[in-house]
């Protein structure tokens, strides 16, 4: 089988993601490669597909047992023979896996480098043909990376044991130092390098001023009921506090940080992965080793360490390619907290840390598309005018008003207090606060004292951030004090105007409907429920059974036969056989109770090779060709005439020719009207009958439309 057929038949996916096909082909020609692709980019498939094509074994080196287990589970569900060898196995299972390798039953072997270098493993492998060594999470080989694993350094030597073996290294770490280290330490021979774009298009990026984090988080969570997400906090204490608050409010939530016992951490992680719990409140200790694809949101309660950590943390959302929401709550208090930690460091480290922090602040305070500074950090030049998926791009210029007067008040107050205070103090003076600091400094005697009472504290703070953005004030990040810039002086003089937002800057997240599917939520939930039931029975995470997108498509197209089910995203041969009937039963019952009809997914009309196991439509189509009428076919196959028609539709769609005379005998619509129906198909497409039914003002019955659709399809094929 070729890569594309494997993608469709085994994995159930229609298209390769960017670079996947090229990478697969390179590995197949036995050329070493280094692949840099963001989290969720689909790296695993790039070595799993060659593994199925190679005659010999593919060894996959992975740093964590949880990652190996996850992949082996997923592959097993797809009917692929994959095993791992590690200390978590019982002696018996270990032996069974060894046997599978010796007997050439296993196509992929997952191991940690420690296991690979063991004598008994090398012995075992000495008698099998190894075609490919895949190094997953290859940044572990570099001291510059964040998870250096010295054992990775031994991989190069071990690879010498195998003749004609290709090495493919994969990582999501983009820094050039790490990339060079990978090629060098693996001793790759003139490797081909693939660097995918780091733009994760489906992540909606939002940064909001941290005004009242708990309320902000709760109102956010309320928008995502029954969805999985991660909330990152700076400290363990913060995790515990937020967890308590959310737990008390009956959210389905667990804490995760290094202060918990191993057993507790493991339990919470497992509950999250298995959809028993929706939300994890965690420190950055959480994430590595999590492959959960349906994380729908990531919230940063506190400022992350730097852009790279931020990118990595938000990257845990939306691996399944569906739209996901990333919210960062940005508070100036957090900056001083991080600064405090930075100050404990040594001089050189301190400078670098400060630079990183500055880049992060610039990112947070930018008025432009979030993707520009984010991607430029990874050396990418993002040139699209409007990404449509960040707060700044969905903000409208018309929301801006003239805030020159406010700016003048603010600026003159900065001047009068000597340009040595932070925004908070300036706002206190403007709002006429009686705080000790104001009184001590005699600032209640200033002419600017109390002239800004008409505007709330939050609004003033928001304005001050906007003024920084507009470059009329500048902030000393070390001390937090603000000064008036040259441009600010113009504003004070009245020669320059300022525009800004007066209302709190809570930008509305435009919820575009996911993957443009208008799925039936009720059925989606029923399917999720069924999936969970099956997953629990075999003790795997639900996403191993089917990804969310599969269920969404089922709840969009209401497939009622195996043929149509097979066209759904993520339904390959093995899963069709294993779970097809179970899910079809749920869909059929729901469709019957709610009078929903099956629709054929638009995108998949193309030549999908019919599978051996489900050629029902072929059987029926061929029988029809032998001049059986629909009624006779219905009796012969013991299925409803409606379903016969649906099979015939598929049959014709697949490019088979039939004589439609037997069908047109069954309809009432006259020829004149038929022409109108065809025109409507021409105009509205053939995937949905409802629009056509409406277009004809309900003058043609659905029964007739079903048949006329076949006639129409037949005409276009010819
Ligand atoms: P990475 O290792 O790069 O973080 P994974 O290999 O775990 O990413 O893939 C992320 C998700 O994307 C998985 O759920 C995988 O099944 C899915 N995926 C990969 N390639 C495709 C594709 N071509 N079409 C649809 N889904 C894909
Ligand atoms: Mg991966
Ligand atoms: Zn944008």
């Amino acid at each position: 089988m070729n890569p594309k057929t494997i993608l469709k038949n085994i994995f159930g996916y229609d298209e390769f993601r960017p670079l996947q096909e090229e990478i697969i082909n390179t590995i197949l020609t036995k050329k070493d490669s280094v692949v840099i692709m963001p989290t969720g980019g689909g790296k695993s498939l790039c070595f799993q597909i060659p593994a199925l094509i190679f005659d010999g074994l593919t060894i996959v080196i992975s740093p964590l047992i949880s990652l190996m287990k996850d992949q082996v589970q997923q592959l097993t569900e797809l009917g692929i023979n994959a095993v791992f060898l590690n200390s978590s196995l019982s002696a018996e299972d270990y032996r069974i896996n060894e046997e599978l390798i010796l007997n050439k039953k296993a196509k992929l072997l997952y191991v940690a480098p420690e296991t690979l270098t063991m004598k008994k493993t090398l012995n075992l492998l000495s008698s099998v043909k190894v075609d490919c060594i895949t190094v997953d999470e290859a940044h572990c080989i570099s001291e510059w990376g964040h998870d250096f694993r010295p054992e990775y350094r031994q991989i190069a030597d071990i690879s010498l044991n195998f003749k004609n073996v290709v090495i493919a290294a994969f990582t999501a770490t983009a820094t050039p130092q790490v990339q060079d280290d990978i090629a060098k330490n693996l001793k790759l021979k003139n490797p081909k390098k693939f660097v995918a774009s780091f733009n994760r298009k489906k992540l909606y990026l939002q940064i909001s001023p941290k005004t009242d984090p708990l309320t902000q988080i709760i109102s956010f969570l309320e928008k995502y009921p029954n969805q999985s997400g991660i909330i990152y906090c700076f400290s363990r204490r913060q995790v515990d506090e937020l967890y308590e608050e959310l737990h008390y409010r009956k959210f389905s939530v667990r804490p995760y940080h290094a202060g918990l016992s191993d057993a507790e951490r493991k339990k919470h992680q497992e509950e999250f992965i298995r959809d028993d719990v929706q939300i994890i409140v965690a420190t950055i200790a959480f994430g590595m080793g999590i492959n959960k694809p349906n994380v729908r949101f990531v919230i940063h309660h506190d400022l992350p360490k730097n852009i790279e950590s931020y990118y990595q943390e938000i990257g845990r959302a939306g691996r399944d390619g569906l739209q996901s929401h990333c919210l960062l709550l940005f508070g100036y208090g957090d900056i001083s907290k991080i600064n405090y930690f930075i100050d404990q460091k040594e001089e050189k480290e301190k400078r670098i840390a400060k630079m990183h922090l500055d880049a992060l602040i610039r990112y947070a305070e930018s008025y432009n598309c979030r993707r520009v500074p984010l991607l430029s950090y990874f050396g990418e030049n993002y040139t699209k005018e409007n990404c449509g998926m960040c707060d700044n791009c969905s903000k409208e210029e018309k929301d801006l008003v003239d805030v020159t007067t406010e700016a003048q008040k603010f600026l003159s107050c900065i001047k009068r207090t000597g340009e040595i205070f932070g925004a908070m103090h300036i706002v206190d003076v403007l709002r006429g606060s009686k705080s000790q600091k104001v009184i001590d400094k005699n600032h209640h005697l200033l002419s600017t004292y109390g002239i800004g009472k008409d505007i709330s504290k939050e609004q003033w703070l928001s304005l001050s951030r906007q003024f920084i953005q507009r470059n009329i004030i500048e902030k000393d990040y070390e001390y937090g004090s603000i000064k008036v810039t040259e441009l600010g002086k113009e504003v004070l003089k009245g020669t320059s105007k300022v525009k800004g937002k007066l209302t709190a800057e809570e930008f509305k997240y435009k919820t575009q409907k996911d993957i443009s599917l208008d799925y039936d939520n009720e059925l989606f939930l029923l399917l999720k429920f069924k999936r969970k039931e099956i997953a629990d029975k075999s003790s795997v995470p639900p996403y191993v059974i089917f990804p969310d997108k599969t269920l969404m498509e089922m709840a969009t197209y209401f497939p009622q036969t195996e043929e149509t089910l097979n066209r759904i995203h993520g339904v390959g041969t093995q899963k069709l056989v294993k779970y097809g009937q179970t899910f079809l039963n749920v869909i059929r019952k729901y469709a019957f109770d709610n009078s929903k009809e099956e629709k054929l997914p638009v995108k998949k009309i193309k030549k999908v090779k019919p599978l051996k196991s489900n050629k029902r439509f072929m059987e029926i189509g061929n029988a029809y060709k032998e001049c059986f009428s629909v009624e006779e076919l219905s009796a012969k196959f013991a299925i409803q005439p409606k379903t016969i028609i649906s099979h015939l539709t598929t049959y014709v769609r697949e490019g088979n020719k039939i004589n439609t005379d037997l069908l047109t005998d069954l309809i009432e619509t006259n020829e004149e009207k038929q022409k109108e129906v065809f025109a409507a198909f021409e105009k509205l497409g053939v995937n949905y009958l409802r629009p056509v039914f409406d277009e004809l003002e309900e003058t043609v019955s659905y029964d007739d439309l079903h048949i006329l659709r076949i006639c129409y399809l037949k005409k276009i094929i010819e």
Side-chain angles (χ1 to χ4, degrees):
M1 279 201 283
N2 66 26
K4 185 88 199 215
T5 318
I6 294 179
L7 182 75
K8 176 63 205 160
N9 288 4
I10 296 185
F11 291 87
Y13 300 144
D14 292 308
E15 301 288 342
F16 280 113
R17 296 223 184 118
L19 294 185
Q20 282 182 327
E21 201 165 15
E22 292 89 320
I23 296 165
I24 290 170
N25 288 331
T26 306
I27 296 177
L28 285 173
T29 55
K30 292 269 173 115
K31 182 157 180 52
D32 290 351
S33 38
V34 177
V35 177
I36 296 95
M37 200 185 257
T39 307
K43 292 186 281 294
S44 324
L45 221 101
C46 300
F47 55 82
Q48 289 166 346
I49 289 185
L52 296 181
I53 296 174
F54 281 135
D55 181 42
L57 182 71
T58 291
I59 300 175
V60 184
I61 298 168
S62 169
L64 293 175
I65 292 183
S66 66
L67 290 176
M68 297 182 211
K69 210 172 110 186
D70 189 79
Q71 293 210 6
V72 170
Q73 274 176 349
Q74 302 211 35
L75 291 170
T76 308
E77 278 301 319
L78 293 167
I80 298 170
N81 268 314
V83 297
F84 55 76
L85 290 178
N86 63 43
S87 54
S88 76
L89 290 171
S90 67
E92 172 67 4
D93 286 340
Y94 206 103
R95 203 188 48 74
I96 293 176
N97 285 352
E98 284 180 327
E99 213 125 275
L100 287 169
I101 295 164
L102 277 176
N103 300 338
K104 300 189 176 157
K105 291 266 162 48
K107 298 302 300 177
L108 293 109
L109 162 65
Y110 284 79
V111 280
E114 300 86 291
T115 316
L116 182 64
T117 48
M118 279 161 45
K119 227 188 174 122
K120 75 170 173 182
T121 317
L122 292 174
N123 261 339
L124 171 77
L125 293 174
S126 66
S127 51
V128 289
K129 180 174 178 221
V130 177
D131 272 315
C132 175
I133 295 181
T134 293
V135 187
D136 205 4
E137 314 291 340
H139 56 275
C140 291
I141 208 166
S142 170
E143 277 166 312
W144 298 102
H146 28 83
D147 322 283
F148 177 49
R149 294 277 296 263
E151 310 84 33
Y152 263 68
R153 292 276 168 95
Q154 297 172 31
I155 298 171
D157 285 342
I158 290 183
S159 70
L160 299 176
N161 292 341
F162 306 104
K163 268 204 311 269
N164 191 23
V165 70
V166 59
I167 303 182
F170 293 83
T171 179
T173 304
T175 57
Q177 270 167 329
V178 174
Q179 294 171 21
D180 289 346
D181 259 13
I182 292 173
K184 200 173 77 210
N185 287 311
L186 286 175
K187 303 199 177 115
L188 299 185
K189 296 165 224 98
N190 188 19
K192 195 158 160 82
K193 196 158 132 184
F194 295 92
V195 183
S197 166
F198 273 66
N199 183 20
R200 298 275 313 271
K201 288 190 195 130
K202 294 292 191 78
L203 297 185
Y204 182 86
L205 307 173
Q206 179 182 7
I207 298 176
S208 289
K210 188 170 174 178
T211 47
D212 178 0
L214 182 61
T215 316
Q216 288 173 295
I217 286 177
I218 290 171
S219 70
F220 182 99
L221 296 178
E222 281 167 350
K223 279 193 279 187
Y224 293 97
N226 300 315
Q227 305 271 29
S228 300
I230 308 170
I231 307 176
Y232 281 111
C233 297
F234 186 71
S235 64
R236 297 176 194 183
R237 212 192 68 204
Q238 187 59 64
V239 168
D240 289 334
E241 281 176 15
L242 184 59
Y243 161 71
E244 289 298 336
E245 293 285 357
L246 296 177
H247 180 67
Y248 172 76
R249 287 173 174 79
K250 305 264 182 296
F251 283 99
S252 164
V253 58
R254 294 286 182 272
Y256 190 103
H257 57 64
L260 300 173
S261 70
D262 279 354
E264 275 172 307
R265 278 209 306 269
K266 197 163 168 227
K267 178 164 163 280
H268 294 174
Q269 174 170 325
E270 200 69 21
E271 286 174 321
F272 179 63
I273 288 174
R274 299 209 168 162
D275 288 349
D276 290 323
V277 160
Q278 304 295 349
I279 305 159
I280 285 280
V281 183
T283 58
I284 52 168
F286 183 77
M288 173 79 173
I290 307 276
N291 253 338
K292 188 176 165 64
N294 59 338
V295 174
R296 285 280 76 82
F297 58 86
V298 168
I299 302 177
H300 279 89
H301 177 276
D302 305 298
L303 205 57
K305 223 172 41 205
N306 51 44
I307 290 199
E308 198 174 340
S309 337
Y310 168 74
Y311 182 84
Q312 210 175 58
E313 284 145 23
I314 60 171
R316 302 198 168 116
R319 276 168 176 251
D320 51 12
L322 299 182
Q323 192 165 307
S324 309
H325 192 162
C326 309
L327 170 68
L328 164 63
L329 295 178
F330 182 66
Y332 283 95
D334 294 342
I335 300 177
S336 15
K337 239 191 277 175
I338 294 190
N339 262 324
Y340 172 81
F341 281 98
I342 291 179
D343 283 337
Q344 321 283 312
K345 296 181 186 251
E346 290 191 9
E347 222 27 67
K348 187 176 157 219
E349 260 187 277
K350 200 194 264 182
R351 250 201 340 267
I352 296 172
K354 284 224 191 261
M355 249 164 51
H356 281 314
L357 180 62
D358 271 359
L360 186 65
I361 296 169
R362 273 200 304 278
Y363 166 70
E365 294 197 314
S366 165
Y367 260 115
N368 302 321
C369 176
R370 301 282 178 205
R371 289 186 154 69
V372 175
L374 192 61
L375 291 170
S376 88
Y377 184 84
F378 294 105
E380 259 178 75
N381 200 359
Y382 189 78
T383 50
K384 212 164 149 192
E385 183 89 23
N386 185 314
C387 80
M389 282 293 284
C390 78
D391 49 3
N392 286 342
C393 284
S394 21
K395 181 171 59 177
E396 286 167 25
E397 196 61 24
K398 67 173 161 47
D399 298 340
L400 301 181
V401 293
D402 188 334
V403 290
T404 311
T405 318
E406 286 75 14
Q408 286 169 334
K409 288 180 184 172
F410 197 85
L411 295 172
S412 66
C413 194
I414 295 176
K415 279 281 183 200
R416 274 166 218 278
T417 51
E419 302 193 296
I420 52 168
F421 295 94
M424 204 61 154
H425 184 72
I426 303 295
V427 172
D428 276 349
V429 176
L430 284 169
R431 293 197 22 89
S433 152
K434 297 189 174 58
S435 82
Q436 200 58 44
K437 192 168 168 190
V438 172
I439 308 293
D440 284 353
K441 304 279 179 196
N442 275 333
H443 287 163
H444 58 301
L445 305 176
L446 296 176
S447 60
T448 52
Y449 182 73
I451 59 170
K453 277 188 182 153
D454 52 328
I455 292 179
S456 77
K457 192 165 165 175
E458 280 68 38
Q459 279 173 309
W460 271 122
L461 289 172
S462 153
L463 278 172
S464 85
R465 280 189 293 270
Q466 300 179 49
F467 295 156
I468 293 176
Q469 279 297 316
R470 300 284 184 214
N471 198 25
I472 58 174
I473 58 177
E474 65 189 351
K475 181 173 158 120
D476 181 329
Y477 285 110
E478 196 145 0
Y479 301 104
S481 60
I482 44 184
K483 289 191 176 56
V484 178
T485 63
E486 286 306 313
L487 187 62
K489 287 178 192 153
E490 303 275 308
V491 175
L492 266 178
K493 274 190 268 169
T495 47
S496 186
K497 289 206 171 300
V498 190
K499 282 196 141 196
K501 264 182 93 125
L502 262 181
T503 46
E505 344 168 10
E506 188 63 51
F507 303 123
K508 291 285 167 294
Y509 174 44
K510 285 187 192 152
T511 33
Q512 294 143 326
K513 199 70 178 171
D514 246 319
I515 46 172
S516 66
L517 286 181
D518 198 3
Y519 60 87
D520 183 311
N521 203 39
E522 205 176 320
L523 176 57
F524 179 62
L525 294 177
L526 288 173
L527 294 168
K528 256 174 106 164
F529 189 77
K530 180 52 83 187
R531 176 179 68 173
K532 178 74 179 132
E533 202 180 283
I534 300 172
D536 284 349
K537 241 185 255 163
S538 32
S539 204
V540 294
Y543 63 79
V544 168
I545 308 294
F546 277 132
D548 284 5
K549 189 170 171 190
T550 305
L551 306 190
M552 287 175 186
E553 285 203 2
M554 289 178 183
T556 305
Y557 301 116
F558 308 101
Q560 299 188 23
T561 62
E562 292 203 341
E563 294 83 89
T564 36
L565 186 64
N566 194 217
R567 291 163 174 244
I568 298 289
H569 171 96
V571 184
T573 318
Q574 175 78 5
K575 291 196 175 176
L576 184 71
V577 172
K578 220 164 150 186
Y579 305 119
Q581 284 308 324
T582 313
F583 282 87
L584 280 175
N585 287 341
V586 177
I587 302 168
R588 283 188 194 126
K589 175 161 187 338
Y590 184 83
F592 182 81
D593 291 347
N594 297 280
S595 340
K596 299 281 181 191
E597 37 167 339
E598 178 179 281
K599 308 170 201 165
L600 292 176
V602 195
K603 39 179 194 158
K604 296 168 191 171
I605 304 178
K606 344 173 264 235
K607 27 141 203 350
V608 176
K609 281 205 196 98
L611 296 164
K612 269 195 238 90
S613 62
N614 72 121
K615 279 212 231 148
R616 202 81 196 267
F617 71 87
M618 287 300 287
E619 249 178 277
I620 290 172
N622 290 334
Y624 175 85
K625 270 190 166 166
E626 289 165 23
C627 288
F628 283 102
S629 70
V630 172
E631 204 179 332
E632 285 162 341
L633 290 173
S634 167
K636 181 170 149 77
F637 289 93
I639 40 184
Q640 295 289 322
K642 256 191 177 162
T643 317
I644 296 287
I645 299 288
S646 146
H647 282 304
L648 289 178
T649 310
T650 314
Y651 185 77
V652 176
R653 272 194 184 227
E654 293 291 336
N656 299 295
K657 286 187 187 154
I658 58 170
N659 177 345
T660 46
D661 294 347
L662 276 175
L663 292 175
T664 37
D665 286 349
L666 299 172
I667 63 176
E668 289 166 355
T669 314
N670 65 32
E671 280 196 31
E672 201 60 37
K673 202 82 196 172
Q674 286 183 21
K675 284 202 187 109
E676 283 177 43
V677 173
F678 293 149
F681 278 130
E682 189 82 46
K683 176 168 152 204
L684 302 163
V686 292
N687 291 299
Y688 306 98
L689 293 183
R690 181 62 195 255
V692 177
F693 184 70
D694 289 346
E695 174 87 2
L696 292 157
E697 290 166 337
E698 309 182 6
T699 51
V700 180
S701 70
Y702 273 112
D703 284 343
D704 281 14
L705 285 180
H706 275 288
I707 290 176
L708 287 169
R709 174 162 61 184
I710 298 179
C711 302
Y712 176 76
L713 284 168
K714 179 195 168 199
K715 283 213 304 202
I716 24 180
I717 298 171
E718 279 167 357

